[in-house]
Amino acid sequence: MRYQRRAAAIGLVAAGALLFSACGSDNAGGGGEQGGANAAACGGKQNLRASGSSAQANAMTRFVTAFEQACEGQTVAYTPSGSGAGRNEFLGGQTDFAGSDSALKDDEAQRAQQRCASPAWNLPMVFGPVAIAYNLAGVPDLALDGTAIARIFNGQITTWNDPAIAALNPGKQLPAAPIIVNFRSDESGTTENFQKYLVAASNGAYGKEAEQTFQGGVGAGARGSQGVADATRNTPNSITYVESSFATRAGLGVAQVVNSGGGQPVPLTAENVGNAINDVAVTGQGNDLELDLNSIYTTRTPNAYPIVLATYEIVCSNYQDDPTGQAVRGFLTTALSPEAQQGLPEAGYVPVPDRFKQRLTTAVNAIQ
């Protein structure tokens, strides 16, 4: 059963096919005995089922392709049904693991303990930067900080030449044009994470809740990431928040962001996003790698881009049947391989930086 996608999922630019050296299986669940350095990643249950976050949909496509090429006869059917549905289906035993934009809540962790007969782990496998994308003639580069972004998106800053924006962009000719805000009209993990950033990094300027619907109270709504990117491309003097690949594909400007350290504006690059991820605080215990994303949103590290969406794979630490545990471990091992990670920036994600990958690898290897 191949990876299934729904049209309403948050789309990200699909990249070309992956090349991955074949590896063998040590039981009937994987291919034949083919050997290779990654042989231990194959075997177990042939057809894994998973569902959840649509924000990681195209990363999962890449990971599944790599897994199928590495382990003949094995696959993962991932349905991007949304984070809440993914968690519920995993907790109900309908899937082998879940993709989620947020870690399990306390009550969900208790249900997961019953479903797994072991603790469940939150493993942040996919990271994607959120761009502050804009359409402003004559301003090829724009710097903003958390407070200015919050005040734009809650309607307190209404013109491009506002003194707060001008102070961050000395020497630039900013027009007196009104700022047109475009926001996601549908429920979205991107919207929730963006607003979490605003709450954490704006020194109280946002004054709104971080929910899956936009709470700023200004602007025009458009459905989906493609919708807000198109609206911004077609509307002069407008601004939005969107996964970086959509901004790039639409030819929009992407603001540099001054992080909470107050230093130089930080461009959105894979390296700068990796700098923020490397310093993220982990609130989970042991191999449960639940993150304190506020440590990214409020990073003071030079050259760390602070607006990052993280999505988890939620797994049993010890599956009740060994073939499932082996296959989940093998799939996630493949997902962390260089062959699966390369090219992720083309699809709007960043490869897991090496320092954080070490923690993930330790946790993945411990899945039973």
Side-chain angles (χ1 to χ4, degrees):
M1 184 175 182
R2 299 287 181 182
Y3 166 85
Q4 305 166 3
R5 71 176 68 213
R6 64 177 187 179
I10 298 176
L12 293 168
V13 181
L18 299 171
L19 297 177
F20 194 85
S21 57
C23 68
S25 167
D26 56 7
N27 76 22
E33 286 287 338
Q34 296 172 324
N38 295 302
C42 300
K45 187 176 181 179
Q46 287 185 306
N47 300 306
L48 291 172
R49 292 178 299 160
S51 64
S53 168
S54 55
Q56 68 173 13
N58 281 355
M60 288 296 294
T61 301
R62 182 175 295 277
F63 298 162
V64 171
T65 299
F67 186 51
E68 290 174 343
Q69 292 180 351
C71 300
E72 183 180 353
Q74 292 190 260
T75 191
V76 177
Y78 183 78
T79 303
S81 52
S83 296
R87 293 195 303 274
N88 285 332
E89 289 165 2
F90 171 73
L91 295 174
Q94 298 158 268
T95 55
D96 300 308
F97 65 92
S100 177
D101 295 337
S102 58
L104 292 172
K105 300 177 177 65
D106 289 344
D107 62 322
E108 292 174 326
Q110 293 175 4
R111 291 171 57 194
Q113 174 80 37
Q114 296 176 342
R115 176 255 193 266
C116 295
S118 66
W121 291 341
N122 301 280
L123 304 181
M125 298 285 295
V126 179
F127 294 88
V130 177
I132 307 302
Y134 65 94
N135 179 351
L136 190 60
V139 185
D141 60 327
L142 180 72
L144 296 170
D145 62 10
T147 299
I149 296 168
R151 294 179 63 204
I152 290 170
F153 280 88
N154 70 6
Q156 293 179 5
I157 292 177
T158 59
T159 60
W160 282 107
N161 66 344
D162 185 280
I165 300 178
L168 294 165
N169 294 273
K172 298 175 187 175
Q173 296 299 312
L174 299 170
I179 299 173
I180 300 170
V181 170
N182 293 315
F183 63 87
R184 288 280 295 272
S185 60
D186 53 326
E187 291 190 358
S188 163
T190 304
T191 296
E192 182 177 18
N193 279 272
F194 172 61
Q195 292 183 115
K196 285 181 178 178
Y197 162 75
L198 296 182
V199 170
S202 68
N203 296 311
Y206 189 53
K208 309 287 184 177
E209 298 294 325
E211 299 182 8
Q212 291 213 336
T213 54
F214 180 67
Q215 301 296 304
V218 297
R223 185 171 183 82
S225 299
Q226 191 64 57
V228 293
D230 289 344
T232 304
R233 181 186 61 204
N234 295 328
T235 308
N237 305 318
S238 62
I239 192 169
T240 193
Y241 58 92
V242 70
E243 293 89 352
S244 63
S245 63
F246 287 91
T248 300
R249 187 168 60 192
L252 298 171
V254 173
Q256 301 180 42
V257 177
V258 180
N259 68 32
S260 293
Q264 295 298 311
V266 180
L268 196 170
T269 67
E271 181 180 1
N272 291 343
V273 174
N275 290 337
I277 296 169
N278 271 332
D279 288 338
V280 66
V282 176
T283 60
Q285 301 297 313
N287 289 321
D288 176 23
L289 301 183
E290 180 180 352
L291 303 179
D292 174 12
L293 288 176
N294 279 352
S295 65
I296 290 182
Y297 302 147
T298 61
T299 180
R300 304 179 68 85
T301 300
N303 297 320
Y305 182 84
I307 315 177
V308 180
L309 184 152
T311 59
Y312 297 89
E313 312 314 326
I314 299 174
V315 303
C316 295
S317 58
N318 193 337
Y319 284 85
Q320 296 183 62
D321 62 297
D322 291 339
T324 299
Q326 182 181 1
V328 170
R329 184 173 65 249
F331 171 69
L332 296 182
T333 297
T334 302
L336 289 172
S337 69
E339 292 82 358
Q341 293 281 309
Q342 69 183 10
L344 283 178
E346 300 171 25
Y349 308 99
V350 295
V352 177
D354 288 341
R355 188 166 64 183
F356 193 76
K357 187 188 291 187
Q358 293 173 7
R359 298 194 69 169
L360 278 170
T361 300
T362 297
V364 168
N365 287 342
I367 295 171
Q368 301 296 316

